[in-house]
Amino acid sequence: MVSFAFFQIQPLQRSNQPNSPISFFNGNIAQYCSLPKKNMIIASELSTSERAPSPPKLPNIGSDRDTNSEGLGKGALEFLESFLSFFSTSLLYFINPPLHPSVDPKHVLTGNFAQVDELPPIDCLVVEGELPQSLNGTYIRNGPNPLHQPRGPHHLFEGDGMLHSIRLSDGRATFCSRYVKTYKYALEDNVGFPIFPNILSGFHSFGLANTSLSLFSNRLFALGESDLPYSIHLSEEGDIETIGRCDFDGKAFINMTAHPKIDPETGETFAFRCSPIPPYITFFSIDKEGSKQQDVPIFSMTDPTFVHDFSITKQYIVFSESQIEMNPLRLMMCKGMPVSAELDKVPRIGVLPRYASTDSEIRWFEAPGFNAMHAINAWEEGDEEIILVAPNAISIENLFHSIEKVHFSLEKVRINLRSGSVTRTTLSQKNLELGSINPSYVGKRNRYGYMGIGKMIPKMSGVVKIDLELECEVSRRLYGAGCFGGEPLFVAKDGASEEDDGYIVSYVHDEKSGASRFVVMDAKSQTLDVVAAVKLPRRVPYGFHGLFVKDGDIREIH
């Protein structure tokens, strides 16, 4: 999800002097973090969990540029650590009015939102049914899990990214939890306390990578939109390793959406970056071999709109411009979060040809009252219409401080390219978010969507199957009293001939017993019957988006 520091600060002027306090920024942060830890940890700043192992060196993969730096003076590093700690603490004192419950760590980080430790691979017990013998691969889900107890304001959407995976092989299951070893993680793990307040977690190269995962160009990535993606390796034993931050041979700049779209037929990946300064949106693509193509700045988006997700069709890219806007000055002037809802603004939908070289080819269509944070799918119908399926956030002004007051209405939006008209159909009266489809149908007409039933996003009380053709709910499963899951992820059976021939998977937590399970459901059954449930070795905190990587794809990852 959005990091509340979704703005980039220009880097400090670098010094060529080897012992300059700021010459540190010339080097790889992993080099700095490999130095011995200082005895600077204050007891009240420590979480009750055991500290994670020291992070491995983080090469800046995908780049030919030399990131090593010599001559890091010990005194300079001590000065830098002291300065950053002083800066962090002083800033929090300066902007520390009484905390709203939505950003009070004592309120936010409770129950199944509280932090957990890393966990090495451990075998798990199947406690209900049997895992399908054909379901071989790894389900891996991302989510926020602060390494250190926050010193100041902390929002639900913030926190260092932690990956929770369960490897399935011949009916057996192995669970593992590991942090994404971002530059921010490595630096703060070394000094033993949070250096950057959460409101500043969007510093260039200091993102959280806590939102999603994506597999493209034979690489597995953990993503968060305030930074570039981090490459991830899955071992045969079920462990998770961070390889490094990927800038695609130096062609990717600052950050990238956490929701890239992969064309299942061409292997191309489509993405964008969002910025609080013009151009507010910049579109780009990555070819099948992993080479990033030219940027297409979208200057026709004239407001600093926060865009979290988008859609593709066979010929077009579809952006939703909502009423949520970025305003870092609000933060700098101590007027609250750097995002706000501009309720006088009329939302729009932008349609850009896939291979446009400039934004002169984009067309904008007004869609009053339509605020989509996520997109489920989009496709073309004939030569004149585009269909977009997305949850519409009603009462969007509450999105960041009272998300329980936001109702997410799943809608089917019909955009007529000839007449310019936009018509919308509500597909369910339920509060539905965090959905998935059969990934083989991305960008083309599909019939089924699988949506989480919202209790308080991302805490979901069940899952529904929506028939997009009949425009209604056709199946449903509730997890039971006091039990909540997350995003219901569809996994197709190998060789499936029908769109819904597969499984729905999710972690489900029982708040009464404190136990978590991995649940596999039959996507074709009328009641989404549970096929298998795996008891996990400890609870899995509520999180965001996941991915199922099949064994054949794991072997191809590099």
Side-chain angles (χ1 to χ4, degrees):
M1 305 296 284
V2 58
S3 165
F4 286 113
F6 196 78
F7 57 95
Q8 286 76 42
I9 306 299
Q10 293 299 316
L12 295 171
Q13 182 66 39
R14 298 178 176 180
S15 170
N16 293 322
Q17 299 300 318
N19 290 326
S20 166
I22 59 176
S23 67
F24 159 73
F25 288 97
N26 285 319
N28 190 324
I29 287 182
Q31 180 178 359
Y32 165 62
C33 293
S34 66
L35 297 175
K37 291 182 170 62
K38 291 175 61 60
N39 185 23
M40 299 174 61
I41 304 175
I42 301 173
S44 62
E45 292 168 348
L46 286 172
S47 67
T48 57
S49 64
E50 222 177 289
R51 292 185 51 74
S54 298
K57 186 173 181 179
L58 298 176
N60 200 20
I61 70 167
S63 175
D64 296 327
R65 296 172 297 172
D66 181 14
T67 58
N68 291 323
S69 177
E70 301 294 336
L72 294 176
K74 182 178 179 181
L77 293 173
E78 291 177 349
F79 172 84
L80 179 62
E81 289 178 352
S82 299
F83 171 76
L84 290 174
S85 178
F86 171 80
F87 171 77
S88 171
T89 305
S90 300
L91 182 60
L92 285 169
Y93 276 123
F94 180 67
I95 60 171
N96 194 27
L99 295 178
H100 186 276
S102 65
V103 291
D104 186 346
K106 296 178 182 178
H107 176 80
V108 175
L109 298 176
T110 58
N112 199 40
F113 288 102
Q115 304 106 301
V116 295
D117 299 342
E118 286 194 316
L119 190 69
I122 184 171
D123 291 340
C124 304
L125 182 66
V126 178
V127 294
E128 182 178 349
E130 293 183 355
L131 288 169
Q133 291 292 320
S134 61
L135 194 60
N136 291 320
T138 299
Y139 170 66
I140 182 168
R141 200 219 63 202
N142 206 340
N145 191 75
L147 174 63
H148 301 294
Q149 184 68 20
R151 289 178 163 184
H154 177 88
H155 192 274
L156 170 67
F157 295 166
E158 297 183 304
D160 302 280
M162 178 172 272
L163 305 178
H164 305 276
S165 73
I166 185 163
R167 178 146 198 175
L168 309 178
S169 178
D170 299 324
R172 300 188 304 273
T174 304
F175 181 79
C176 178
S177 295
R178 296 292 189 191
Y179 278 104
V180 183
K181 305 303 196 300
T182 64
Y183 286 178
K184 175 183 180 294
Y185 170 93
L187 184 60
E188 294 187 340
D189 184 52
N190 183 72
V191 298
F193 55 83
I195 291 177
F196 300 103
N198 286 316
I199 52 174
L200 297 180
S201 57
F203 266 92
H204 173 39
S205 297
F206 288 87
L208 300 168
N210 70 359
T211 306
S212 64
L213 296 116
S214 187
L215 177 65
F216 58 89
S217 304
N218 289 330
R219 285 179 177 174
L220 176 63
F221 295 103
L223 303 103
E225 59 214 341
S226 62
D227 200 354
L228 293 173
Y230 281 79
S231 184
I232 302 297
H233 172 71
L234 303 177
S235 75
E236 292 184 1
E237 296 74 28
D239 211 342
I240 308 167
E241 176 190 359
T242 303
I243 298 175
R245 183 175 182 264
C246 182
D247 64 4
F248 302 97
D249 293 320
K251 296 178 182 178
F253 179 66
I254 296 182
N255 65 299
M256 171 177 152
T257 177
H259 290 289
K261 296 294 184 287
I262 297 93
D263 187 314
E265 295 180 2
T266 68
E268 296 169 286
T269 300
F270 299 89
F272 68 94
R273 65 174 177 267
C274 192
S275 170
I277 59 175
Y280 301 120
I281 291 290
T282 301
F283 167 73
F284 58 90
S285 64
I286 300 167
D287 68 19
K288 186 177 182 179
E289 286 70 39
S291 177
K292 179 185 173 294
Q293 306 303 297
Q294 70 174 17
D295 284 347
V296 181
I298 310 298
F299 289 104
S300 56
M301 181 178 283
T302 55
D303 296 314
T305 305
F306 169 66
V307 181
H308 179 67
D309 198 358
F310 74 127
S311 299
I312 64 171
T313 71
K314 288 297 181 184
Q315 300 183 70
Y316 298 102
I317 305 299
V318 183
F319 291 107
S320 293
E321 183 182 24
S322 73
Q323 293 174 310
I324 296 293
E325 293 189 0
M326 299 171 286
N327 187 353
L329 288 177
R330 287 170 53 88
L331 178 64
M332 296 176 184
M333 298 175 67
C334 302
K335 292 185 177 180
M337 297 177 181
V339 286
S340 60
E342 303 300 325
L343 300 182
D344 293 334
K345 174 182 176 181
V346 177
R348 301 187 300 172
I349 298 173
V351 178
L352 175 73
R354 260 197 192 195
Y355 303 107
S357 57
T358 71
D359 77 334
S360 62
E361 299 179 64
I362 196 170
R363 294 182 60 190
W364 290 99
F365 303 84
E366 290 192 349
F370 183 67
N371 288 291
M373 293 294 102
H374 288 116
I376 305 304
N377 200 20
W379 64 86
E380 300 155 31
E381 288 199 349
D383 297 327
E384 296 184 351
E385 287 191 327
I386 291 176
I387 306 298
L388 169 65
V389 179
N392 177 26
I394 299 171
S395 301
I396 196 170
E397 65 274 13
N398 296 305
L399 184 64
F400 294 110
H401 65 273
S402 298
I403 196 169
E404 69 278 1
K405 297 180 181 178
V406 181
H407 180 83
F408 292 91
S409 172
L410 186 64
E411 297 188 6
K412 186 176 181 181
V413 183
R414 192 175 295 271
I415 307 158
N416 191 297
L417 300 177
R418 181 176 57 83
S419 68
S421 65
V422 176
T423 56
R424 293 154 48 196
T425 302
T426 299
L427 301 178
S428 174
Q429 298 300 318
K430 290 185 174 66
N431 186 26
L432 303 181
E433 243 287 6
L434 298 182
S436 69
I437 64 168
N438 185 327
S440 298
Y441 288 77
V442 169
K444 61 184 181 182
R445 183 171 184 166
N446 74 297
R447 181 163 183 175
Y448 300 109
Y450 307 90
M451 306 294 301
I453 304 173
K455 172 70 174 180
M456 186 190 79
I457 312 299
K459 181 176 171 178
M460 318 304 277
S461 61
V463 55
V464 297
K465 179 180 180 181
I466 301 292
D467 188 318
L468 304 177
E469 184 177 303
L470 299 179
E471 300 182 347
C472 66
E473 174 187 321
V474 291
S475 303
R476 174 181 60 177
R477 170 160 290 276
L478 299 178
Y479 296 131
C483 295
F484 301 95
E487 172 191 67
L489 184 74
F490 179 86
V491 182
K493 290 182 180 179
D494 290 337
S497 59
E498 296 182 310
E499 180 188 337
D500 61 345
D501 192 6
Y503 306 101
I504 304 166
V505 299
S506 179
Y507 293 131
V508 176
H509 181 69
D510 186 333
E511 295 192 340
K512 293 179 292 185
S513 68
S516 293
R517 299 184 302 160
F518 171 71
V519 177
V520 180
M521 295 163 275
D522 181 358
K524 286 183 72 71
S525 68
Q526 290 295 313
T527 54
L528 305 179
D529 298 334
V530 174
V531 175
V534 178
K535 182 180 179 180
L536 301 178
R538 60 99 184 276
R539 67 179 180 85
V540 177
Y542 302 123
F544 300 137
H545 304 285
L547 185 70
F548 190 88
V549 187
K550 297 191 175 183
D551 272 351
D553 293 325
I554 292 176
R555 288 190 288 269
E556 297 294 323
I557 292 174
H558 59 75

